Amino acid sequence: MDARIRETLAGLDIRAEIERLRKERNAVILAHYYQTPELQDLADFVGDSLELSRKAAETDADVIAFCGVRFMAEVAKILSPQKTVILPDMDAGCSLEDSCPPDEFGAFRAAHPDHISLTYINCSAAVKAHSDIIVTSSSAEKIINALPKDQKILFAPDKHLGAWLNKKTGRDMLLWDGTCIVHEAFSETELLKLKALHPDAPVAAHPECPAYILDHAHMIGSTSAILKFALESPASTIIVATEPHIIHQMEKAAPNKIFIGAPGADGNCSCNMCPYMALNTLEKLYLSLRDLQPRIEVPEPLRLRALLPLNRMLAIASGAATDLTPAQTFPAVTGD
Ligand code: 13P
Ligand code: SF4
């Protein structure tokens, strides 16, 4: 933080100021599980990607302050164009988004005209606009199973999530070669050492982890599914193979259990903290509520094209649409 901003903030009770601005602006504060405990604790709602997307669509606030990464705030804006959506730090991106440039993805789609495109929500609005259905880690399996068995599918951008879904559903989706730098940083060797130290502790892992980590997991699922498992498991110690800030919610809800973050190659889990999520701070949240900046803007034609595949996901995930025929599913989302 530069000296001028530090001076502006000196002596301010930042939490009290955030409270004041939350009311004044009629703002709702959303936080992903990977945010720091201080941001999680003051958020109106903490959740996974699908839950936050739904929340963003439901809220009647005038302002959505999104403590998460840019693609998540972009989804909020796509679903609520009339609201002001702010992200405390506009540089809070995602390695999966970076690994899938829209023009390259458009060319990939064009090269496979007989495939439909299922795209993980961790991507830009432009990539969503090239897609047929958006999925999150908690909705993907249900959506794949709702598609005709012989339907050819492209899956982007996370190859590890795609490979895990292929295994779960028996499909042979063609996979884009993208990865999450955070989930790729877990070390199998270190995980095996940790398991040897805690032989009764189950491992709960996010499907963005490579197969060599997932192969050792007792449970694989989205952040909210991992949290649920950690709280419901009879085990007193649980090894958590996802971004370690989620452990804050576990410790709050089950203070008598022990939750251990799966290790990276250096034997501790610091390399598994998401560097993009870490850009958001209490101070930047305050400044963004004060200035209503940085603000997410999505041009209307792009928003409308990205909305279609997002709405398909929300309809299938909520049970409103279950049996999808290609005709219903893929009318006219084309990339250019
Ligand atoms: P969830 O949808 O499970 O919250 O995952 C989001 C994410 O960015 C994982 O790295
Ligand atoms: Fe992206 Fe990985 Fe960070 Fe999630 S943890 S926001 S997938 S870089």
Side-chain angles (χ1 to χ4, degrees):
M1 189 179 304
D2 75 32
R4 210 155 33 90
I5 296 179
R6 206 172 302 123
E7 208 174 290
T8 315
L9 299 176
L12 271 187
D13 180 341
I14 303 275
R15 282 189 172 75
E17 285 298 303
I18 289 173
E19 276 322 304
R20 180 179 66 76
L21 287 166
R22 180 184 348 228
K23 289 193 190 82
E24 246 175 63
R25 303 276 192 217
N26 186 26
V28 64
I29 301 175
L30 306 180
H32 190 267
Y33 289 124
Y34 295 169
Q35 292 289 279
T36 55
E38 58 184 8
L39 288 173
Q40 291 188 34
D41 286 348
L42 60 71
D44 295 292
F45 189 81
V46 184
D48 71 9
S49 292
L50 180 61
E51 292 166 330
L52 293 174
S53 304
R54 285 186 167 147
K55 212 70 206 168
E58 280 164 14
T59 175
D60 58 6
D62 296 314
V63 173
I64 297 174
F66 214 119
C67 300
V69 292
R70 199 170 48 235
F71 76 80
M72 296 179 179
E74 219 170 45
V75 167
K77 184 67 185 176
I78 292 167
L79 296 173
S80 304
Q82 73 290 0
K83 297 189 201 318
T84 300
V85 178
I86 51 176
L87 181 66
D89 191 318
M90 199 52 108
D91 290 333
C94 170
S95 68
L96 279 169
E97 176 178 345
D98 293 346
S99 71
C100 194
D103 51 344
E104 288 176 31
F105 183 67
F108 182 62
R109 282 229 60 186
H112 300 91
D114 54 343
H115 287 60
I116 64 146
S117 161
L118 244 58
T119 309
Y120 191 32
I121 197 165
N122 297 35
C123 65
S124 64
V127 166
K128 289 185 176 73
H130 281 300
S131 305
D132 292 307
I133 310 178
I134 301 302
V135 301
T136 63
S137 48
S138 51
S139 63
E141 195 180 339
K142 186 173 180 181
I143 288 170
I144 293 169
N145 287 334
L147 292 168
K149 286 270 173 285
D150 56 352
Q151 176 65 58
K152 291 182 180 170
I153 305 172
L154 303 177
F155 187 85
D158 189 344
K159 67 174 180 187
H160 297 308
L161 173 61
W164 176 70
L165 288 165
N166 272 344
K167 202 167 153 187
K168 288 254 341 179
T169 61
R171 303 273 178 151
D172 186 21
M173 298 187 296
L174 197 54
L175 308 180
W176 183 266
D177 187 17
T179 58
C180 160
I181 51 167
V182 174
H183 290 85
E184 277 219 314
F186 292 117
S187 155
E188 182 182 19
T189 311
E190 295 299 326
L191 178 61
L192 289 174
K193 282 190 212 164
L194 188 64
K195 279 181 67 149
L197 286 176
H198 304 278
D200 297 328
V203 177
H206 197 282
E208 287 176 17
C209 293
Y212 58 77
I213 296 293
L214 298 180
D215 286 347
H216 302 292
H218 299 84
M219 178 271 162
I220 299 167
S222 68
T223 48
S224 52
I226 290 174
L227 176 60
K228 187 166 182 284
F229 171 84
L231 300 183
E232 289 176 358
S233 166
S236 57
T237 301
I238 288 137
I239 298 172
V240 180
T242 192
E243 214 274 2
H245 284 107
I246 193 173
I247 290 175
H248 178 58
Q249 292 296 325
M250 297 174 183
E251 288 175 340
K252 270 172 71 169
N256 297 326
K257 287 189 177 180
I258 297 166
F259 304 102
I260 308 174
D266 62 356
N268 78 51
C269 67
S270 58
C271 51
N272 303 121
M273 299 207 187
C274 176
Y276 306 100
M277 294 272 180
L279 290 173
N280 294 324
T281 62
L282 210 58
E283 289 78 11
K284 289 181 197 169
L285 173 62
Y286 159 68
L287 291 170
S288 65
L289 280 165
R290 187 192 69 180
D291 303 338
L292 294 181
Q293 294 286 351
R295 206 181 280 206
I296 301 282
E297 303 290 0
V298 182
E300 189 60 7
L302 174 61
R303 188 188 77 79
L304 290 174
R305 288 189 349 180
L307 180 63
L308 195 57
L310 264 169
N311 274 342
R312 287 181 182 135
M313 169 186 77
L314 292 170
I316 302 167
S318 69
T322 48
D323 183 21
L324 297 175
T325 67
Q328 277 172 305
T329 315
F330 322 115
V333 185
T334 53
D336 44 53

